[in-house]
Amino acid sequence: MRKYPRAYSRWQLVTSEHGSMATGRWGEVTGARPRSADAGTSPRGLFPFLTPALTEPFATLSPGAHEGNDRKKHFGKNSPLCRPRPTALERPGLFRGPLLAAVGLGPPCPGGSRALLEPPSSLRPRTAGSGVTRAAEAAQQPASQTPERPGRRKRKSAWKNDACKPDIMMSIRQRKEIKTTDVSEDFPAQEENVKLENKLPSGRTNRRLWTILSFTIGGTIALCIGLLTSVYLATLHENDLWFSNIKEVEREISFRTECGLYYSYYKQMLQAPTLMQGFHGLIYDNKTESMRTINLLQRMNIYQEVFLSVLYRVLPIQKYLEPVYFYIYTLFGLQAIYVTALYITSWLLSGTWLSGLLAALWYVTNRIDTTRVEFTIPLRENWALPFFAIQIAAITYFLRPNLQPLSERLTLLAIFISTFLFSLTWQFNQFMMLMQALVLFILDSLDMLPAAKATWLYGIQITSLLLVCVLQFFNSMILGSLLISFNLSVLIARKLQKNLKTGSFLDRLGKLLLHLFVVLCLTLFLNNVIKKILNLKSDEHIFKFLKAKFGLGATRDFDANLYLCEEAFGLLPFNTFERLSYTLLFYAYIFVLSITVIAALVVAFHNLSDSTNQQSMDKMGKCTVNLKPETAYNLIHTILFGFLALSTMRMKYLWTSHMCVFASFGLCSPEIWGLLLKSVRLCNPKRICIMRYSVPILILLYLCYKFWPGMMDELSELREFYDPDTVELMNWINSNTPRKAVFAGSMQLLAGVKLCTGRTLTNHPHYEDNSLRERTKAVYQIYAKRSPEEVHALLRSFGTDYVILEDSICYERRHRRGCRLRDLLDIANGHMMDGPGENDPDLKPADHPRFCEEIKRNLPPYVAHFTRVFQNKTFHVYKLSRNK
């Protein structure tokens, strides 16, 4: 007899490592000595607690003796082992009897796991040359292939989904009072099993209540943090401008550059006698560009202004809320939706709303790099980014496996609506969605995303853009976008993708590279064909800018250099990196991004080098981050957003917002903390739980401690809008010029002229039209070295009556040499720049002095064509003569 250091109870079933009950092995109690090599080949080795009387029949079993009528021969006719296996409906409790459970004839084990032994397999002797029993073969099958009892709740292991799973032994005990000879027809164990079953619903109910409570608390915090962010931004706007106390003209002037242009159409719709006349004025507009009638709904993304104006006229709020407040409060309300969507995305990725709270607080404390809505309210990005954040949250949920059909349909509807609204409200939507399509393509090619889901998302992007194209009267810029060409190329290349083998990582990587090459070729071909057919040149300035940005094209193009200098003057991402390097967000983001990328590369390298070794794969799976589709989607998304932020200043607001989401997700992720603790051999579930909750809480406390005083000081600081020169200019134009007068000047100033006075313009800040860019360059010759006759002829060709010159542009000092507007004009005209410094060898001295400087001297050639009618410290207004 074998001796054990601890006595066994009569019915003690022991599982294998990880507490899993799907292996089908009989083991020993924790602390028992390991079995000998031959223990598993004899009935006593398999069932060490069975009495000799029960094990003797097993010794004479022949192959197949346990099946059919052979049971009667070996066990006796009246033995309970000879009865047929009861159905699921006939089983009254968790156990039909200890002996039946021991030999595998009973029902599954408590908690919904599969039976420990399959009766035919466990009793069948080993086949020749196999070396393992069929029970061991069943133990190697995936848990998903093991049958479970219908209606039984599945018990989740305490170690499931953790990054590390230490070896443990779990035992399930039956009542000690039951003996093997006491098993009768009535099953005395039924009463105890009924008690166990009665206890299970209470645990399920407790977990359900806890889930509901957590969801309620997290959702309430999400709504509160979104509303608080909206109120915070609105308060900053009020304190900075004293918006409630300044005059109406000052309020309108505060909408600088293109913001004033967009708001002017909202004002135009409200001032129209009827809605139909307002629509007609937008479709047949002849005041935005002189001597030209354009369709504003086609050229610009102003449907949001149209919708708000209609809503304001329909709702009974005119007596309680001014139009400008209705407009700005809508934008600040969208910021609440924006923060809530970021909160939900981080929550979906990490599984805890604490991550969403950290993301929202990071968004607020890094406001300078996440949003500029408080001082550029009507910008298109402030309308579009909230819908884009909703789309990312919906896609993150949609990429989860095993969604219910109803949830999947509702999620697809949310993705479509948010994608459509995002595309409708921003002219640069195609570039963000192109990044998104590229992410989907990578995941699809690496088989990390179901092909059906990827197809749905491609289709939603194309459908949304086409609907926007129809609403914008078939805008050629949309039809010629790279996004449509790319998505069509991906769908065309799908047939090739199905014919390739994708077994190993090397196959998937090869498929990705091959498809990327094919799709890029098809994309460029389709895009060039569409542009030639449509004669499209609307977006060529963007590609010129990108070429000049990375030194791939000519640097003397006026439009490209203008964009480059505006980027240099603005908050360039390099300045953003320098500022973020002093914040905790940047270090947390780099920390999470590095760990996730390194873990993904380790898995990829391991799959590439040894994809056939299953044992090594299992070991690698314990020490790496499991990249779920939604996690991989956001990982690649944030990397591509970073590259996009390097190219364009305004794209940094999209990237830094996603930084908050991804960094907070990583700090609350059990996989990442499990990987770190595993690397230092301190991994266990309790430590993982402590780290994933304690670190975010400490960061939240630190952020509150560091930024709360500064935020209170910022809210208590009161300022007032003050621009008397511009106010004086607008009042003079309203009082001393005809309503049909045409004004020329800088793009930024003319947008305010359109909003405050309603006069006709020669050019404006909406730069997405080739003919408008050429017109702007011609008007800007007033700051170049040109003769008065040339300038007068150019301005009169656009029907100009008055020209406004600004000293801030003519004597500009805020930009470095080479980026001043007069320098850009000199380079484009082939003239040498003013001031000390080097010039290109091919630049020549100009034949005439600078126009904006010489006209102030009232010399005869200038007085013959221009008459000064208004002057203050900043602006000079000249009336053009009718004669040439």
Side-chain angles (χ1 to χ4, degrees):
M1 292 289 294
R2 178 182 302 172
K3 296 182 180 180
Y4 295 91
R6 186 189 301 180
Y8 286 93
S9 64
R10 179 167 281 103
W11 301 112
Q12 193 163 32
L13 311 184
V14 185
T15 64
S16 65
E17 63 178 5
H18 312 320
S20 173
M21 304 176 65
T23 58
R25 295 188 301 171
W26 291 82
E28 302 175 358
V29 189
T30 305
R33 187 173 56 194
R35 290 182 295 207
S36 59
D38 60 343
T41 61
S42 65
R44 291 287 294 167
L46 287 172
F47 314 108
F49 48 82
L50 295 181
T51 62
L54 289 175
T55 58
E56 287 176 0
F58 289 86
T60 59
L61 281 177
S62 59
H66 58 284
E67 300 177 359
N69 295 327
D70 290 338
R71 294 181 178 178
K72 300 178 182 180
K73 177 179 177 181
H74 294 279
F75 296 102
K77 181 177 181 180
N78 296 325
S79 173
L81 299 179
C82 298
R83 290 196 309 273
R85 186 184 181 100
T87 63
L89 296 177
E90 296 172 344
R91 300 170 185 169
L94 295 178
F95 290 94
R96 292 290 293 181
L99 182 58
L100 297 183
V103 298
L105 297 179
C109 300
S113 300
R114 61 174 292 190
L116 294 178
L117 292 174
E118 293 291 337
S121 303
S122 60
L123 299 180
R124 186 176 295 124
R126 291 180 294 175
T127 58
S130 63
V132 293
T133 62
R134 297 203 177 187
E137 294 175 354
Q140 298 177 359
Q141 295 180 356
S144 60
Q145 299 179 3
T146 59
E148 297 184 0
R149 180 175 176 182
R152 185 70 65 209
R153 177 176 59 87
K154 185 174 182 179
R155 185 190 299 271
K156 294 184 178 180
S157 172
W159 318 108
K160 187 175 182 180
N161 295 330
D162 287 334
C164 63
K165 300 181 180 179
D167 295 341
I168 63 170
M169 301 289 286
M170 179 186 295
S171 62
I172 302 175
R173 297 174 182 244
Q174 271 289 29
R175 292 186 298 174
K176 295 182 179 180
E177 294 79 10
I178 300 179
K179 299 181 181 180
T180 51
T181 57
D182 295 334
V183 180
S184 64
E185 189 74 24
D186 295 329
F187 298 97
Q190 178 178 354
E191 295 181 1
E192 180 70 15
N193 296 329
V194 170
K195 293 181 181 180
L196 293 174
E197 280 187 331
N198 292 335
K199 294 180 181 179
L200 293 177
S202 62
R204 182 189 304 175
T205 304
N206 291 336
R207 282 195 298 271
R208 185 177 300 172
L209 290 176
W210 175 254
T211 302
I212 294 175
L213 180 62
S214 177
F215 181 81
T216 303
I217 294 175
T220 304
I221 294 177
L223 294 177
C224 292
I225 198 69
L227 292 175
L228 288 176
T229 304
S230 177
V231 173
Y232 170 65
L233 295 174
T235 305
L236 288 179
H237 176 261
E238 171 66 24
N239 292 349
D240 190 52
L241 301 178
W242 203 8
F243 201 75
S244 59
N245 195 62
I246 58 179
K247 300 177 181 178
E248 183 66 21
V249 64
E250 292 176 317
R251 292 177 180 176
E252 294 177 348
I253 292 173
S254 67
F255 297 136
R256 301 285 187 178
T257 65
E258 57 183 310
C259 300
L261 183 68
Y262 297 134
Y263 184 78
S264 69
Y265 301 125
Y266 170 74
K267 180 181 177 181
Q268 180 177 332
M269 283 290 296
L270 291 178
Q271 292 178 347
T274 62
L275 288 176
M276 293 304 299
Q277 291 181 0
F279 276 111
H280 186 274
L282 295 179
I283 296 175
Y284 302 96
D285 180 88
N286 53 13
K287 288 190 174 183
T288 302
E289 296 179 13
S290 60
M291 304 181 67
R292 182 184 298 173
T293 300
I294 62 175
N295 186 345
L296 294 173
L297 296 179
Q298 180 188 32
R299 287 272 298 276
M300 304 180 189
N301 298 72
I302 59 171
Y303 269 100
Q304 49 267 49
E305 277 76 21
V306 174
F307 174 75
L308 277 190
S309 61
V310 173
L311 198 62
Y312 184 80
R313 298 180 67 151
V314 171
L315 295 178
I317 58 176
Q318 290 85 356
K319 296 181 180 180
Y320 312 102
L321 193 64
E322 297 180 43
V324 64
Y325 279 106
F326 182 70
Y327 187 90
I328 65 174
Y329 285 167
T330 301
L331 268 299
F332 289 131
L334 283 179
Q335 290 301 304
I337 297 176
Y338 190 15
V339 175
T340 304
L342 297 177
Y343 181 106
I344 293 174
T345 303
S346 186
W347 186 358
L348 290 173
L349 289 173
S350 63
T352 172
W353 55 262
L354 187 63
S355 173
L357 180 60
L358 181 58
L361 193 57
W362 258 331
Y363 177 90
V364 175
T365 54
N366 293 275
R367 174 181 51 84
I368 297 177
D369 297 309
T370 54
T371 182
R372 49 179 175 173
V373 65
E374 74 274 10
F375 61 91
T376 58
I377 295 178
L379 276 185
R380 304 299 87 181
E381 65 192 52
N382 297 329
W383 285 95
L385 291 185
F387 299 117
F388 192 60
I390 294 174
Q391 187 217 38
I392 292 178
I395 292 178
T396 301
Y397 181 75
F398 178 70
L399 295 183
R400 287 185 167 186
N402 303 324
L403 285 181
Q404 297 295 329
L406 179 60
S407 300
E408 188 170 312
R409 294 191 194 99
L410 292 177
T411 307
L412 283 173
L413 180 61
I415 295 173
F416 171 73
I417 294 176
S418 57
T419 304
F420 170 72
L421 293 176
F422 169 69
S423 304
L424 187 65
T425 52
W426 198 13
Q427 67 269 27
F428 296 131
N429 62 79
Q430 53 177 297
F431 301 103
M432 264 60 67
M433 293 173 64
L434 181 61
M435 297 289 102
Q436 193 176 72
L438 184 59
V439 174
L440 297 175
F441 172 76
I442 294 173
L443 296 179
D444 187 18
S445 299
L446 293 177
D447 293 333
M448 298 181 66
L449 180 66
K453 290 188 175 182
T455 304
W456 270 109
L457 296 176
Y458 290 138
I460 286 175
Q461 285 188 341
I462 295 176
T463 305
S464 300
L465 276 184
L466 292 180
L467 284 177
V468 172
C469 182
V470 172
L471 288 176
Q472 289 190 336
F473 298 85
F474 299 96
N475 190 328
S476 59
M477 186 176 177
I478 298 177
L479 294 176
S481 65
L482 282 173
L483 176 63
I484 291 182
S485 302
F486 181 83
N487 285 357
L488 291 177
S489 302
V490 171
L491 296 178
I492 292 173
R494 271 297 175 84
K495 294 184 178 179
L496 177 62
Q497 181 177 356
K498 294 181 179 179
N499 297 329
L500 292 179
K501 296 181 180 180
T502 57
S504 65
F505 178 78
L506 182 61
D507 295 333
R508 294 195 295 270
L509 183 60
K511 184 182 72 171
L512 170 62
L513 297 177
L514 176 61
H515 285 169
L516 184 61
F517 176 75
V518 173
V519 168
L520 288 179
C521 293
L522 282 175
T523 300
L524 294 177
F525 173 75
L526 289 176
N527 192 256
N528 289 330
V529 170
I530 293 174
K531 286 186 175 181
K532 288 182 179 180
I533 293 175
L534 299 176
N535 193 22
L536 180 62
K537 297 181 180 180
S538 299
D539 57 350
E540 64 179 8
H541 68 293
I542 298 176
F543 296 103
K544 289 181 180 178
F545 161 69
L546 292 176
K547 289 180 181 180
K549 180 81 174 183
F550 298 103
L552 301 176
T555 58
R556 293 194 177 182
D557 184 81
F558 176 77
D559 299 326
N561 289 333
L562 182 62
Y563 267 81
L564 283 175
C565 292
E566 289 296 328
E567 288 287 319
F569 177 67
L571 298 177
L572 197 64
F574 296 111
N575 299 335
T576 302
F577 286 136
E578 183 180 358
R579 181 169 50 253
L580 283 174
S581 63
Y582 298 101
T583 64
L584 194 58
L585 169 64
F586 184 76
Y587 290 108
Y589 172 73
I590 296 300
F591 167 75
V592 174
L593 184 65
S594 301
I595 292 179
T596 312
V597 171
I598 291 174
L601 292 178
V602 169
V603 173
F605 178 76
H606 177 77
N607 293 341
L608 181 63
S609 61
D610 192 8
S611 60
T612 60
N613 192 337
Q614 184 65 31
Q615 184 177 1
S616 299
M617 287 285 292
D618 296 338
K619 292 181 180 179
M620 290 299 298
K622 295 180 181 179
C623 63
T624 55
V625 175
N626 181 21
L627 278 182
K628 302 175 184 178
E630 60 269 25
T631 305
Y633 169 79
N634 283 274
L635 169 64
I636 305 176
H637 229 307
T638 188
I639 294 175
L640 293 182
F641 283 168
F643 287 118
L644 194 62
L646 285 174
S647 66
T648 310
M649 179 262 293
R650 64 175 57 187
M651 299 305 173
K652 74 163 186 175
Y653 300 103
L654 181 64
W655 176 61
T656 49
S657 300
H658 209 71
M659 279 179 62
C660 301
V661 173
F662 198 76
S664 59
F665 143 71
L667 294 181
C668 297
S669 171
E671 290 86 359
I672 289 182
W673 287 118
L675 177 62
L676 288 178
L677 294 176
K678 184 75 174 181
S679 63
V680 295
R681 300 186 178 182
L682 294 175
C683 184
N684 64 44
K686 291 185 179 179
R687 290 193 180 100
I688 292 176
C689 184
I690 291 174
M691 294 300 294
R692 70 178 297 218
Y693 289 112
S694 61
V695 172
I697 291 175
L698 291 176
I699 293 177
L700 286 172
L701 294 176
Y702 170 76
L703 292 176
C704 293
Y705 169 76
K706 182 177 180 180
F707 291 98
W708 182 261
M711 294 174 63
M712 292 298 101
D713 293 340
E714 193 176 25
L715 289 175
S716 61
E717 184 179 0
L718 301 179
R719 299 179 181 179
E720 181 181 356
F721 177 82
Y722 184 75
D723 190 359
D725 292 343
T726 306
V727 172
E728 183 183 8
L729 172 65
M730 300 304 171
N731 290 333
W732 180 87
I733 292 175
N734 277 322
S735 304
N736 298 277
T737 62
R739 295 195 60 83
K740 294 185 178 181
V742 179
F743 279 79
S746 66
M747 296 184 294
Q748 294 80 2
L749 179 62
L750 290 183
V753 172
K754 174 72 168 61
L755 172 60
C756 298
T757 67
R759 301 305 192 263
T760 306
L761 312 178
T762 56
N763 55 305
H764 53 80
H766 194 269
Y767 218 52
E768 278 67 48
D769 182 76
N770 186 54
S771 60
L772 178 64
R773 293 194 294 270
E774 295 295 333
R775 176 181 286 206
T776 301
K777 182 180 177 181
V779 171
Y780 275 2
Q781 297 302 315
I782 57 179
Y783 299 107
K785 297 175 181 179
R786 303 293 291 267
S787 65
E789 294 80 11
E790 292 175 327
V791 174
H792 183 269
L794 287 172
L795 294 178
R796 287 301 301 166
S797 65
F798 305 130
T800 307
D801 296 317
Y802 297 88
V803 58
I804 306 175
L805 297 177
E806 303 172 56
D807 289 343
S808 58
I809 298 178
C810 188
Y811 305 104
E812 183 180 0
R813 293 185 178 90
R814 57 178 181 172
H815 285 87
R816 60 179 174 83
R817 184 176 184 270
C819 261
R820 299 170 297 188
L821 180 60
R822 62 177 185 266
D823 296 337
L824 300 180
L825 292 167
D826 290 341
I827 294 174
N829 295 332
H831 299 156
M832 298 179 64
M833 295 181 290
D834 295 336
E838 297 182 357
N839 291 281
D840 292 338
D842 56 339
L843 295 180
K844 300 179 181 180
D847 298 331
H848 303 279
R850 195 167 304 279
F851 177 82
C852 63
E853 295 177 358
E854 289 296 313
I855 194 175
K856 298 173 184 177
R857 299 173 60 185
N858 293 326
L859 298 177
Y862 294 89
V863 174
H865 298 88
F866 301 95
T867 304
R868 183 163 53 194
V869 292
F870 175 82
Q871 178 184 1
N872 61 19
K873 296 179 181 179
T874 306
F875 305 103
H876 303 265
V877 181
Y878 293 88
K879 184 177 181 181
L880 276 70
S881 61
R882 294 287 180 178
N883 58 329
K884 295 184 181 180

